[in-house]
Amino acid sequence: MENVSKISRLVYTWVVLFALWMAFTTSLALDEVLVGLAISFVVAAMTFSYFTQIGLKAFSPKKIMYQIQYLIIFIVALVKANFHVAKIVLTPSLPINPGIVEFETKLNSDIAKMILANSITLTPGTFTVDVIENRFYVHWLEVETEDSEKVYKAIAESFEKILLKIYE
Amino acid sequence: METILNYLGYFFVSIGAVFLVLGAFGILRMPDFYTRIQAGTKSSTLGAMSFIFGVGLLEPAWFIKTLVIVVFIAISNPISSHALARGAYKSHHQPYLKDGVDAYKEVENQKEVKL
């Protein structure tokens, strides 16, 4: 992870920021594109060390496949989560058993942990209260178990498998 | 083609509105702060995402910009809910626990001993 060159990380940040610029301006006029290239380069030079740790490797076909797979799993989980909450809210007896559980993640990269925490927040019945080192503290609407292995299997495994392939 | 886009747009806007209403209902019904965040974050995220995506389909010129907004909501909403929950816990707001499962308590107690 540490051996990714600075140039690769800089170029990756530049490409992403320039794509964002193009999305906002939605114009192919030469002067706007040139200004966009310049500004996104300056911002990329200032922020690439926070922005990415794997650099251009993120664009390799394999990793793009995993990113698309992650996106699909994530959207399915998000829709499921909403129906889950809707079902609980519309049940007159309000069937909840809330509690805060913890589990350990195998991820090392900060960005990957952030994505995992965000995904947990948007999946059925759970949201991340805090992340300390590699321990996640998760508020769960229907606590089934306290055992951190089982919690990990129930909450995080499906996301983490893919994140490990993208970021490690 | 345009009518199909219109119908799709109205479909996503209505789905978003329904989930936003359900989210508001959830905030009313849940027993404590943390469970209210649960209901609020999920439905407001999907509700707002779907609503804005639908607007993008109704106005194709805005489509790419609405996509950027959708991605931004997906990233920023969970972070705000995490910050709220963590802040509430740090200021000793006790969660409602049915079975008393609270793994985070130990961490907080250890910190107080160290201080």
Side-chain angles (χ1 to χ4, degrees), chain A residues 23-24 82 86 89 91-92 94 96-100 118 121 123 125-127 129-130 132 137 139 141 146, chain B residues 25-26 29 34-35 38 42-43 46 65 68 75 78 81-82 85-86 96-99 101-104 107:
Chain A
F24 274 130
N82 275 275
V89 165
T91 310
L94 206 64
I96 56 171
N97 174 23
I100 299 176
N118 270 5
T121 299
T123 49
T126 53
F127 85 89
V129 177
D130 204 356
I132 299 169
Y137 295 88
H139 184 275
L141 262 187
E146 274 180 80
Chain B
F25 200 54
R29 286 211 65 198
Y34 300 93
T35 45
Q38 288 264 17
K42 288 180 195 20
S43 38
L46 185 67
K65 278 174 210 177
V68 175
I75 296 172
S81 81
H82 146 74
R86 188 163 175 269
Y96 160 75
L97 304 165
K98 215 173 196 174
D99 288 352
V101 180
D102 187 355
Y104 196 47
V107 183

mmCIF file of all heavy atoms in Angstrom, chain A residues 23-24 82 86 89 91-92 94 96-100 118 121 123 125-127 129-130 132 137 139 141 146, chain B residues 25-26 29 34-35 38 42-43 46 65 68 75 78 81-82 85-86 96-99 101-104 107:
data_model
loop_
_atom_site.group_PDB
_atom_site.id
_atom_site.type_symbol
_atom_site.label_atom_id
_atom_site.label_comp_id
_atom_site.label_asym_id
_atom_site.label_seq_id
_atom_site.Cartn_x
_atom_site.Cartn_y
_atom_site.Cartn_z
ATOM 1 N N ALA A 23 -18.422 17.563 -14.721
ATOM 2 C CA ALA A 23 -19.806 17.296 -14.346
ATOM 3 C C ALA A 23 -20.514 18.579 -13.941
ATOM 4 O O ALA A 23 -21.686 18.786 -14.255
ATOM 5 C CB ALA A 23 -19.855 16.285 -13.193
ATOM 6 N N PHE A 24 -19.794 19.469 -13.262
ATOM 7 C CA PHE A 24 -20.440 20.703 -12.806
ATOM 8 C C PHE A 24 -20.627 21.694 -13.937
ATOM 9 O O PHE A 24 -21.657 22.364 -14.021
ATOM 10 C CB PHE A 24 -19.630 21.348 -11.681
ATOM 11 C CG PHE A 24 -19.975 20.808 -10.333
ATOM 12 C CD1 PHE A 24 -18.982 20.383 -9.457
ATOM 13 C CD2 PHE A 24 -21.283 20.713 -9.921
ATOM 14 C CE1 PHE A 24 -19.299 19.871 -8.222
ATOM 15 C CE2 PHE A 24 -21.613 20.207 -8.682
ATOM 16 C CZ PHE A 24 -20.614 19.783 -7.834
ATOM 17 N N ASN A 82 -34.338 0.719 3.889
ATOM 18 C CA ASN A 82 -35.492 1.600 3.976
ATOM 19 C C ASN A 82 -36.780 0.828 4.176
ATOM 20 O O ASN A 82 -37.625 1.228 4.977
ATOM 21 C CB ASN A 82 -35.573 2.470 2.727
ATOM 22 C CG ASN A 82 -34.720 3.695 2.872
ATOM 23 O OD1 ASN A 82 -35.151 4.684 3.416
ATOM 24 N ND2 ASN A 82 -33.472 3.596 2.450
ATOM 25 N N ALA A 86 -39.147 1.067 7.396
ATOM 26 C CA ALA A 86 -40.559 1.363 7.164
ATOM 27 C C ALA A 86 -41.436 0.307 7.820
ATOM 28 O O ALA A 86 -42.452 0.622 8.445
ATOM 29 C CB ALA A 86 -40.833 1.417 5.666
ATOM 30 N N VAL A 89 -41.445 0.840 11.575
ATOM 31 C CA VAL A 89 -42.184 2.041 11.961
ATOM 32 C C VAL A 89 -43.683 1.834 11.825
ATOM 33 O O VAL A 89 -44.471 2.324 12.631
ATOM 34 C CB VAL A 89 -41.710 3.225 11.099
ATOM 35 C CG1 VAL A 89 -42.668 4.380 11.201
ATOM 36 C CG2 VAL A 89 -40.330 3.661 11.523
ATOM 37 N N THR A 91 -45.280 -1.040 12.110
ATOM 38 C CA THR A 91 -45.829 -2.081 12.975
ATOM 39 C C THR A 91 -46.262 -1.434 14.292
ATOM 40 O O THR A 91 -45.460 -0.768 14.944
ATOM 41 C CB THR A 91 -44.766 -3.156 13.264
ATOM 42 O OG1 THR A 91 -44.190 -3.557 12.029
ATOM 43 C CG2 THR A 91 -45.379 -4.352 13.948
ATOM 44 N N PRO A 92 -47.520 -1.634 14.697
ATOM 45 C CA PRO A 92 -47.997 -0.921 15.890
ATOM 46 C C PRO A 92 -47.199 -1.214 17.158
ATOM 47 O O PRO A 92 -47.022 -0.334 17.994
ATOM 48 C CB PRO A 92 -49.442 -1.434 16.038
ATOM 49 C CG PRO A 92 -49.808 -1.898 14.676
ATOM 50 C CD PRO A 92 -48.560 -2.399 14.031
ATOM 51 N N LEU A 94 -44.019 -1.740 17.483
ATOM 52 C CA LEU A 94 -42.636 -1.229 17.371
ATOM 53 C C LEU A 94 -41.602 -2.259 17.820
ATOM 54 O O LEU A 94 -41.009 -2.140 18.878
ATOM 55 C CB LEU A 94 -42.492 0.055 18.190
ATOM 56 C CG LEU A 94 -41.395 1.038 17.742
ATOM 57 C CD1 LEU A 94 -41.705 1.580 16.364
ATOM 58 C CD2 LEU A 94 -41.264 2.175 18.713
ATOM 59 N N ILE A 96 -38.510 -3.434 18.375
ATOM 60 C CA ILE A 96 -37.071 -3.157 18.356
ATOM 61 C C ILE A 96 -36.416 -3.631 19.642
ATOM 62 O O ILE A 96 -37.052 -3.750 20.679
ATOM 63 C CB ILE A 96 -36.766 -1.651 18.151
ATOM 64 C CG1 ILE A 96 -37.454 -0.813 19.212
ATOM 65 C CG2 ILE A 96 -37.152 -1.217 16.759
ATOM 66 C CD1 ILE A 96 -37.031 0.626 19.185
ATOM 67 N N ASN A 97 -35.118 -3.906 19.522
ATOM 68 C CA ASN A 97 -34.305 -4.296 20.673
ATOM 69 C C ASN A 97 -32.943 -3.637 20.487
ATOM 70 O O ASN A 97 -31.979 -4.267 20.105
ATOM 71 C CB ASN A 97 -34.184 -5.820 20.718
ATOM 72 C CG ASN A 97 -33.233 -6.274 21.797
ATOM 73 O OD1 ASN A 97 -32.984 -5.557 22.764
ATOM 74 N ND2 ASN A 97 -32.675 -7.459 21.619
ATOM 75 N N PRO A 98 -32.839 -2.325 20.727
ATOM 76 C CA PRO A 98 -31.618 -1.620 20.358
ATOM 77 C C PRO A 98 -30.472 -1.869 21.330
ATOM 78 O O PRO A 98 -30.687 -2.195 22.493
ATOM 79 C CB PRO A 98 -32.043 -0.145 20.397
ATOM 80 C CG PRO A 98 -33.192 -0.103 21.317
ATOM 81 C CD PRO A 98 -33.852 -1.440 21.294
ATOM 82 N N GLY A 99 -29.258 -1.713 20.817
ATOM 83 C CA GLY A 99 -28.066 -1.862 21.636
ATOM 84 C C GLY A 99 -26.858 -1.476 20.823
ATOM 85 O O GLY A 99 -26.949 -1.287 19.612
ATOM 86 N N ILE A 100 -25.704 -1.323 21.477
ATOM 87 C CA ILE A 100 -24.484 -0.984 20.752
ATOM 88 C C ILE A 100 -23.539 -2.178 20.821
ATOM 89 O O ILE A 100 -23.221 -2.659 21.906
ATOM 90 C CB ILE A 100 -23.822 0.281 21.343
ATOM 91 C CG1 ILE A 100 -24.784 1.462 21.218
ATOM 92 C CG2 ILE A 100 -22.523 0.579 20.616
ATOM 93 C CD1 ILE A 100 -24.271 2.722 21.847
ATOM 94 N N ASN A 118 -19.692 4.175 6.491
ATOM 95 C CA ASN A 118 -20.835 4.789 5.821
ATOM 96 C C ASN A 118 -21.807 3.738 5.326
ATOM 97 O O ASN A 118 -23.022 3.903 5.442
ATOM 98 C CB ASN A 118 -20.356 5.624 4.623
ATOM 99 C CG ASN A 118 -20.075 7.052 5.017
ATOM 100 O OD1 ASN A 118 -20.141 7.399 6.188
ATOM 101 N ND2 ASN A 118 -19.775 7.878 4.042
ATOM 102 N N THR A 121 -23.859 2.381 8.092
ATOM 103 C CA THR A 121 -24.912 3.315 8.491
ATOM 104 C C THR A 121 -26.134 3.205 7.587
ATOM 105 O O THR A 121 -27.262 3.359 8.039
ATOM 106 C CB THR A 121 -24.377 4.753 8.454
ATOM 107 O OG1 THR A 121 -23.296 4.847 9.366
ATOM 108 C CG2 THR A 121 -25.438 5.746 8.836
ATOM 109 N N THR A 123 -27.178 0.514 5.934
ATOM 110 C CA THR A 123 -27.738 -0.823 5.748
ATOM 111 C C THR A 123 -28.698 -1.155 6.883
ATOM 112 O O THR A 123 -28.681 -0.496 7.911
ATOM 113 C CB THR A 123 -26.633 -1.885 5.657
ATOM 114 O OG1 THR A 123 -25.748 -1.679 6.741
ATOM 115 C CG2 THR A 123 -25.907 -1.791 4.353
ATOM 116 N N GLY A 125 -30.982 -1.512 9.817
ATOM 117 C CA GLY A 125 -30.968 -1.583 11.265
ATOM 118 C C GLY A 125 -29.684 -1.221 11.986
ATOM 119 O O GLY A 125 -29.597 -1.392 13.185
ATOM 120 N N THR A 126 -28.675 -0.759 11.269
ATOM 121 C CA THR A 126 -27.407 -0.489 11.944
ATOM 122 C C THR A 126 -26.888 0.894 11.607
ATOM 123 O O THR A 126 -27.133 1.403 10.515
ATOM 124 C CB THR A 126 -26.327 -1.490 11.501
ATOM 125 O OG1 THR A 126 -26.272 -1.485 10.077
ATOM 126 C CG2 THR A 126 -26.621 -2.873 11.988
ATOM 127 N N PHE A 127 -26.181 1.550 12.562
ATOM 128 C CA PHE A 127 -25.373 2.695 12.160
ATOM 129 C C PHE A 127 -24.140 2.831 13.040
ATOM 130 O O PHE A 127 -24.131 2.434 14.195
ATOM 131 C CB PHE A 127 -26.200 3.975 12.059
ATOM 132 C CG PHE A 127 -26.379 4.734 13.340
ATOM 133 C CD1 PHE A 127 -25.461 5.702 13.709
ATOM 134 C CD2 PHE A 127 -27.468 4.499 14.129
ATOM 135 C CE1 PHE A 127 -25.641 6.424 14.870
ATOM 136 C CE2 PHE A 127 -27.653 5.214 15.298
ATOM 137 C CZ PHE A 127 -26.737 6.176 15.670
ATOM 138 N N VAL A 129 -21.470 4.256 15.373
ATOM 139 C CA VAL A 129 -21.339 5.332 16.363
ATOM 140 C C VAL A 129 -19.908 5.840 16.386
ATOM 141 O O VAL A 129 -19.661 7.040 16.409
ATOM 142 C CB VAL A 129 -21.761 4.843 17.758
ATOM 143 C CG1 VAL A 129 -21.567 5.936 18.788
ATOM 144 C CG2 VAL A 129 -23.209 4.411 17.743
ATOM 145 N N ASP A 130 -18.925 4.914 16.374
ATOM 146 C CA ASP A 130 -17.538 5.358 16.441
ATOM 147 C C ASP A 130 -16.623 4.288 15.854
ATOM 148 O O ASP A 130 -16.971 3.113 15.829
ATOM 149 C CB ASP A 130 -17.148 5.641 17.896
ATOM 150 C CG ASP A 130 -15.988 6.626 17.980
ATOM 151 O OD1 ASP A 130 -15.464 6.998 16.904
ATOM 152 O OD2 ASP A 130 -15.615 7.014 19.081
ATOM 153 N N ILE A 132 -12.626 3.202 16.440
ATOM 154 C CA ILE A 132 -11.369 3.434 17.151
ATOM 155 C C ILE A 132 -10.375 2.390 16.673
ATOM 156 O O ILE A 132 -10.616 1.195 16.829
ATOM 157 C CB ILE A 132 -11.573 3.350 18.673
ATOM 158 C CG1 ILE A 132 -12.566 4.426 19.125
ATOM 159 C CG2 ILE A 132 -10.244 3.524 19.394
ATOM 160 C CD1 ILE A 132 -13.024 4.260 20.541
ATOM 161 N N TYR A 137 -17.856 0.485 16.486
ATOM 162 C CA TYR A 137 -18.954 0.447 17.450
ATOM 163 C C TYR A 137 -20.238 0.805 16.718
ATOM 164 O O TYR A 137 -20.338 1.890 16.148
ATOM 165 C CB TYR A 137 -18.685 1.405 18.617
ATOM 166 C CG TYR A 137 -17.489 0.956 19.396
ATOM 167 C CD1 TYR A 137 -16.210 1.357 19.038
ATOM 168 C CD2 TYR A 137 -17.634 0.060 20.445
ATOM 169 C CE1 TYR A 137 -15.102 0.902 19.714
ATOM 170 C CE2 TYR A 137 -16.535 -0.408 21.133
ATOM 171 C CZ TYR A 137 -15.276 0.021 20.761
ATOM 172 O OH TYR A 137 -14.183 -0.456 21.423
ATOM 173 N N HIS A 139 -24.483 0.859 16.460
ATOM 174 C CA HIS A 139 -25.797 0.831 17.092
ATOM 175 C C HIS A 139 -26.710 -0.032 16.225
ATOM 176 O O HIS A 139 -26.818 0.192 15.023
ATOM 177 C CB HIS A 139 -26.353 2.250 17.209
ATOM 178 C CG HIS A 139 -27.655 2.331 17.919
ATOM 179 N ND1 HIS A 139 -28.852 2.132 17.282
ATOM 180 C CD2 HIS A 139 -27.955 2.574 19.216
ATOM 181 C CE1 HIS A 139 -29.821 2.261 18.170
ATOM 182 N NE2 HIS A 139 -29.310 2.535 19.338
ATOM 183 N N LEU A 141 -30.501 -1.894 15.711
ATOM 184 C CA LEU A 141 -31.903 -1.816 16.124
ATOM 185 C C LEU A 141 -32.415 -3.132 16.679
ATOM 186 O O LEU A 141 -33.254 -3.151 17.561
ATOM 187 C CB LEU A 141 -32.784 -1.417 14.932
ATOM 188 C CG LEU A 141 -33.178 0.046 14.796
ATOM 189 C CD1 LEU A 141 -34.178 0.200 13.674
ATOM 190 C CD2 LEU A 141 -33.757 0.603 16.070
ATOM 191 N N GLU A 146 -24.133 -10.658 20.871
ATOM 192 C CA GLU A 146 -23.098 -9.739 21.331
ATOM 193 C C GLU A 146 -21.729 -10.162 20.846
ATOM 194 O O GLU A 146 -20.788 -9.391 20.899
ATOM 195 C CB GLU A 146 -23.080 -9.720 22.864
ATOM 196 C CG GLU A 146 -24.054 -8.757 23.476
ATOM 197 C CD GLU A 146 -23.960 -8.815 24.982
ATOM 198 O OE1 GLU A 146 -23.033 -8.197 25.534
ATOM 199 O OE2 GLU A 146 -24.788 -9.492 25.594
ATOM 200 N N PHE B 25 -42.261 9.889 10.020
ATOM 201 C CA PHE B 25 -43.081 9.048 10.881
ATOM 202 C C PHE B 25 -42.198 8.266 11.857
ATOM 203 O O PHE B 25 -42.500 8.150 13.047
ATOM 204 C CB PHE B 25 -43.889 8.111 9.984
ATOM 205 C CG PHE B 25 -45.102 7.538 10.645
ATOM 206 C CD1 PHE B 25 -46.029 8.375 11.227
ATOM 207 C CD2 PHE B 25 -45.313 6.179 10.667
ATOM 208 C CE1 PHE B 25 -47.150 7.851 11.841
ATOM 209 C CE2 PHE B 25 -46.431 5.650 11.271
ATOM 210 C CZ PHE B 25 -47.349 6.485 11.861
ATOM 211 N N GLY B 26 -41.080 7.751 11.322
ATOM 212 C CA GLY B 26 -40.144 7.013 12.166
ATOM 213 C C GLY B 26 -39.574 7.881 13.265
ATOM 214 O O GLY B 26 -39.465 7.451 14.414
ATOM 215 N N ARG B 29 -42.075 8.073 16.010
ATOM 216 C CA ARG B 29 -42.452 6.875 16.757
ATOM 217 C C ARG B 29 -41.329 6.266 17.582
ATOM 218 O O ARG B 29 -41.570 5.586 18.569
ATOM 219 C CB ARG B 29 -42.968 5.800 15.786
ATOM 220 C CG ARG B 29 -44.341 6.086 15.252
ATOM 221 C CD ARG B 29 -45.067 4.801 14.969
ATOM 222 N NE ARG B 29 -45.318 4.028 16.180
ATOM 223 C CZ ARG B 29 -45.616 2.745 16.187
ATOM 224 N NH1 ARG B 29 -45.683 2.081 15.064
ATOM 225 N NH2 ARG B 29 -45.835 2.104 17.313
ATOM 226 N N TYR B 34 -31.043 7.769 19.611
ATOM 227 C CA TYR B 34 -30.253 6.937 18.689
ATOM 228 C C TYR B 34 -31.143 6.203 17.682
ATOM 229 O O TYR B 34 -30.816 6.117 16.503
ATOM 230 C CB TYR B 34 -29.398 5.944 19.491
ATOM 231 C CG TYR B 34 -28.446 6.648 20.422
ATOM 232 C CD1 TYR B 34 -28.808 6.910 21.733
ATOM 233 C CD2 TYR B 34 -27.206 7.076 19.988
ATOM 234 C CE1 TYR B 34 -27.961 7.578 22.590
ATOM 235 C CE2 TYR B 34 -26.351 7.740 20.833
ATOM 236 C CZ TYR B 34 -26.729 7.989 22.127
ATOM 237 O OH TYR B 34 -25.889 8.660 22.961
ATOM 238 N N THR B 35 -32.257 5.681 18.172
ATOM 239 C CA THR B 35 -33.141 4.973 17.237
ATOM 240 C C THR B 35 -33.797 5.969 16.273
ATOM 241 O O THR B 35 -34.102 5.626 15.143
ATOM 242 C CB THR B 35 -34.219 4.199 18.006
ATOM 243 O OG1 THR B 35 -34.749 5.049 19.009
ATOM 244 C CG2 THR B 35 -33.657 2.973 18.645
ATOM 245 N N GLN B 38 -31.478 6.363 13.512
ATOM 246 C CA GLN B 38 -31.613 5.216 12.606
ATOM 247 C C GLN B 38 -32.690 5.474 11.557
ATOM 248 O O GLN B 38 -32.458 5.329 10.365
ATOM 249 C CB GLN B 38 -32.042 3.987 13.410
ATOM 250 C CG GLN B 38 -30.986 3.404 14.280
ATOM 251 C CD GLN B 38 -30.289 2.265 13.610
ATOM 252 O OE1 GLN B 38 -30.364 2.107 12.405
ATOM 253 N NE2 GLN B 38 -29.579 1.477 14.375
ATOM 254 N N LYS B 42 -31.597 6.779 7.339
ATOM 255 C CA LYS B 42 -31.831 5.890 6.202
ATOM 256 C C LYS B 42 -32.855 6.459 5.245
ATOM 257 O O LYS B 42 -32.623 6.581 4.043
ATOM 258 C CB LYS B 42 -32.274 4.526 6.711
ATOM 259 C CG LYS B 42 -31.126 3.775 7.345
ATOM 260 C CD LYS B 42 -31.611 2.459 7.825
ATOM 261 C CE LYS B 42 -30.672 1.776 8.764
ATOM 262 N NZ LYS B 42 -29.682 2.519 9.455
ATOM 263 N N SER B 43 -34.020 6.840 5.810
ATOM 264 C CA SER B 43 -35.058 7.263 4.866
ATOM 265 C C SER B 43 -34.758 8.626 4.273
ATOM 266 O O SER B 43 -35.093 8.881 3.118
ATOM 267 C CB SER B 43 -36.418 7.232 5.531
ATOM 268 O OG SER B 43 -36.312 7.666 6.842
ATOM 269 N N LEU B 46 -32.159 7.827 1.289
ATOM 270 C CA LEU B 46 -32.742 7.270 0.065
ATOM 271 C C LEU B 46 -33.823 8.209 -0.473
ATOM 272 O O LEU B 46 -33.933 8.408 -1.693
ATOM 273 C CB LEU B 46 -33.335 5.882 0.317
ATOM 274 C CG LEU B 46 -33.848 5.205 -0.963
ATOM 275 C CD1 LEU B 46 -32.698 4.882 -1.890
ATOM 276 C CD2 LEU B 46 -34.628 3.960 -0.676
ATOM 277 N N LYS B 65 -25.514 16.993 -12.990
ATOM 278 C CA LYS B 65 -25.386 17.708 -11.715
ATOM 279 C C LYS B 65 -26.171 17.015 -10.608
ATOM 280 O O LYS B 65 -25.708 16.917 -9.475
ATOM 281 C CB LYS B 65 -25.873 19.150 -11.891
ATOM 282 C CG LYS B 65 -24.793 20.039 -12.501
ATOM 283 C CD LYS B 65 -25.300 21.422 -12.813
ATOM 284 C CE LYS B 65 -24.523 21.946 -14.001
ATOM 285 N NZ LYS B 65 -24.964 23.250 -14.451
ATOM 286 N N VAL B 68 -24.204 14.187 -9.257
ATOM 287 C CA VAL B 68 -23.167 14.612 -8.315
ATOM 288 C C VAL B 68 -23.782 14.866 -6.936
ATOM 289 O O VAL B 68 -23.229 14.473 -5.909
ATOM 290 C CB VAL B 68 -22.448 15.876 -8.840
ATOM 291 C CG1 VAL B 68 -21.465 16.395 -7.805
ATOM 292 C CG2 VAL B 68 -21.722 15.566 -10.121
ATOM 293 N N ILE B 75 -22.537 10.293 0.605
ATOM 294 C CA ILE B 75 -21.323 10.339 1.422
ATOM 295 C C ILE B 75 -21.544 11.141 2.702
ATOM 296 O O ILE B 75 -21.099 10.752 3.775
ATOM 297 C CB ILE B 75 -20.156 10.955 0.617
ATOM 298 C CG1 ILE B 75 -19.816 10.060 -0.570
ATOM 299 C CG2 ILE B 75 -18.933 11.118 1.489
ATOM 300 C CD1 ILE B 75 -18.823 10.685 -1.504
ATOM 301 N N PRO B 78 -24.477 9.868 6.117
ATOM 302 C CA PRO B 78 -24.046 8.958 7.182
ATOM 303 C C PRO B 78 -23.023 9.595 8.113
ATOM 304 O O PRO B 78 -23.024 9.328 9.319
ATOM 305 C CB PRO B 78 -23.413 7.791 6.426
ATOM 306 C CG PRO B 78 -23.911 7.888 5.059
ATOM 307 C CD PRO B 78 -24.215 9.307 4.796
ATOM 308 N N SER B 81 -24.799 11.652 10.686
ATOM 309 C CA SER B 81 -25.481 10.856 11.709
ATOM 310 C C SER B 81 -24.465 10.284 12.687
ATOM 311 O O SER B 81 -24.715 10.225 13.899
ATOM 312 C CB SER B 81 -26.295 9.751 11.056
ATOM 313 O OG SER B 81 -25.478 8.671 10.723
ATOM 314 N N HIS B 82 -23.302 9.877 12.162
ATOM 315 C CA HIS B 82 -22.250 9.370 13.058
ATOM 316 C C HIS B 82 -21.793 10.464 14.024
ATOM 317 O O HIS B 82 -21.648 10.230 15.228
ATOM 318 C CB HIS B 82 -21.072 8.864 12.219
ATOM 319 C CG HIS B 82 -19.738 9.074 12.855
ATOM 320 N ND1 HIS B 82 -19.301 8.318 13.916
ATOM 321 C CD2 HIS B 82 -18.760 9.976 12.607
ATOM 322 C CE1 HIS B 82 -18.107 8.743 14.275
ATOM 323 N NE2 HIS B 82 -17.760 9.744 13.518
ATOM 324 N N ALA B 85 -24.472 11.037 16.734
ATOM 325 C CA ALA B 85 -24.571 9.953 17.712
ATOM 326 C C ALA B 85 -23.374 9.968 18.647
ATOM 327 O O ALA B 85 -23.508 9.827 19.860
ATOM 328 C CB ALA B 85 -24.661 8.619 16.988
ATOM 329 N N ARG B 86 -22.182 10.176 18.079
ATOM 330 C CA ARG B 86 -20.970 10.175 18.894
ATOM 331 C C ARG B 86 -20.996 11.349 19.868
ATOM 332 O O ARG B 86 -20.686 11.204 21.057
ATOM 333 C CB ARG B 86 -19.762 10.266 17.975
ATOM 334 C CG ARG B 86 -18.453 10.073 18.673
ATOM 335 C CD ARG B 86 -17.367 9.764 17.654
ATOM 336 N NE ARG B 86 -16.061 9.693 18.290
ATOM 337 C CZ ARG B 86 -15.259 10.727 18.407
ATOM 338 N NH1 ARG B 86 -15.614 11.906 17.935
ATOM 339 N NH2 ARG B 86 -14.091 10.606 19.007
ATOM 340 N N TYR B 96 -31.515 4.121 24.850
ATOM 341 C CA TYR B 96 -32.551 3.210 25.335
ATOM 342 C C TYR B 96 -32.142 1.801 24.945
ATOM 343 O O TYR B 96 -31.970 1.498 23.768
ATOM 344 C CB TYR B 96 -33.894 3.585 24.686
ATOM 345 C CG TYR B 96 -34.943 2.508 24.706
ATOM 346 C CD1 TYR B 96 -35.619 2.202 25.884
ATOM 347 C CD2 TYR B 96 -35.273 1.813 23.546
ATOM 348 C CE1 TYR B 96 -36.578 1.221 25.906
ATOM 349 C CE2 TYR B 96 -36.238 0.830 23.557
ATOM 350 C CZ TYR B 96 -36.885 0.531 24.743
ATOM 351 O OH TYR B 96 -37.836 -0.447 24.756
ATOM 352 N N LEU B 97 -31.921 0.940 25.952
ATOM 353 C CA LEU B 97 -31.447 -0.416 25.688
ATOM 354 C C LEU B 97 -32.413 -1.411 26.309
ATOM 355 O O LEU B 97 -32.685 -1.348 27.501
ATOM 356 C CB LEU B 97 -30.056 -0.623 26.299
ATOM 357 C CG LEU B 97 -28.960 0.350 25.889
ATOM 358 C CD1 LEU B 97 -27.794 0.233 26.833
ATOM 359 C CD2 LEU B 97 -28.523 0.090 24.464
ATOM 360 N N LYS B 98 -32.889 -2.332 25.481
ATOM 361 C CA LYS B 98 -33.836 -3.313 26.021
ATOM 362 C C LYS B 98 -33.093 -4.420 26.764
ATOM 363 O O LYS B 98 -33.428 -4.752 27.885
ATOM 364 C CB LYS B 98 -34.656 -3.903 24.876
ATOM 365 C CG LYS B 98 -36.090 -4.199 25.274
ATOM 366 C CD LYS B 98 -36.855 -4.619 24.042
ATOM 367 C CE LYS B 98 -38.343 -4.565 24.266
ATOM 368 N NZ LYS B 98 -39.052 -4.839 23.021
ATOM 369 N N ASP B 99 -32.053 -4.965 26.134
ATOM 370 C CA ASP B 99 -31.310 -6.054 26.763
ATOM 371 C C ASP B 99 -30.016 -5.575 27.420
ATOM 372 O O ASP B 99 -29.231 -6.362 27.913
ATOM 373 C CB ASP B 99 -30.968 -7.129 25.717
ATOM 374 C CG ASP B 99 -32.200 -7.902 25.300
ATOM 375 O OD1 ASP B 99 -33.239 -7.691 25.940
ATOM 376 O OD2 ASP B 99 -32.122 -8.684 24.343
ATOM 377 N N VAL B 101 -27.323 -4.290 25.993
ATOM 378 C CA VAL B 101 -26.100 -4.512 25.231
ATOM 379 C C VAL B 101 -25.494 -3.152 24.865
ATOM 380 O O VAL B 101 -26.086 -2.392 24.117
ATOM 381 C CB VAL B 101 -26.385 -5.295 23.938
ATOM 382 C CG1 VAL B 101 -25.098 -5.513 23.171
ATOM 383 C CG2 VAL B 101 -27.053 -6.602 24.256
ATOM 384 N N ASP B 102 -24.337 -2.828 25.438
ATOM 385 C CA ASP B 102 -23.724 -1.540 25.136
ATOM 386 C C ASP B 102 -22.202 -1.686 25.182
ATOM 387 O O ASP B 102 -21.575 -1.510 26.225
ATOM 388 C CB ASP B 102 -24.197 -0.477 26.131
ATOM 389 C CG ASP B 102 -23.718 0.902 25.743
ATOM 390 O OD1 ASP B 102 -22.956 0.999 24.764
ATOM 391 O OD2 ASP B 102 -24.102 1.876 26.405
ATOM 392 N N ALA B 103 -21.617 -2.040 24.049
ATOM 393 C CA ALA B 103 -20.181 -2.284 23.999
ATOM 394 C C ALA B 103 -19.390 -0.985 24.085
ATOM 395 O O ALA B 103 -18.232 -0.970 24.482
ATOM 396 C CB ALA B 103 -19.824 -3.030 22.717
ATOM 397 N N TYR B 104 -20.012 0.116 23.701
ATOM 398 C CA TYR B 104 -19.291 1.388 23.631
ATOM 399 C C TYR B 104 -19.030 1.945 25.019
ATOM 400 O O TYR B 104 -18.109 2.720 25.222
ATOM 401 C CB TYR B 104 -20.112 2.369 22.802
ATOM 402 C CG TYR B 104 -19.351 3.584 22.310
ATOM 403 C CD1 TYR B 104 -18.117 3.423 21.717
ATOM 404 C CD2 TYR B 104 -19.880 4.853 22.442
ATOM 405 C CE1 TYR B 104 -17.418 4.521 21.263
ATOM 406 C CE2 TYR B 104 -19.193 5.955 21.990
ATOM 407 C CZ TYR B 104 -17.960 5.787 21.404
ATOM 408 O OH TYR B 104 -17.274 6.875 20.963
ATOM 409 N N VAL B 107 -15.458 1.641 26.490
ATOM 410 C CA VAL B 107 -14.491 2.569 25.910
ATOM 411 C C VAL B 107 -14.587 3.914 26.607
ATOM 412 O O VAL B 107 -13.592 4.513 27.016
ATOM 413 C CB VAL B 107 -14.763 2.744 24.404
ATOM 414 C CG1 VAL B 107 -13.727 3.640 23.789
ATOM 415 C CG2 VAL B 107 -14.808 1.412 23.724
#
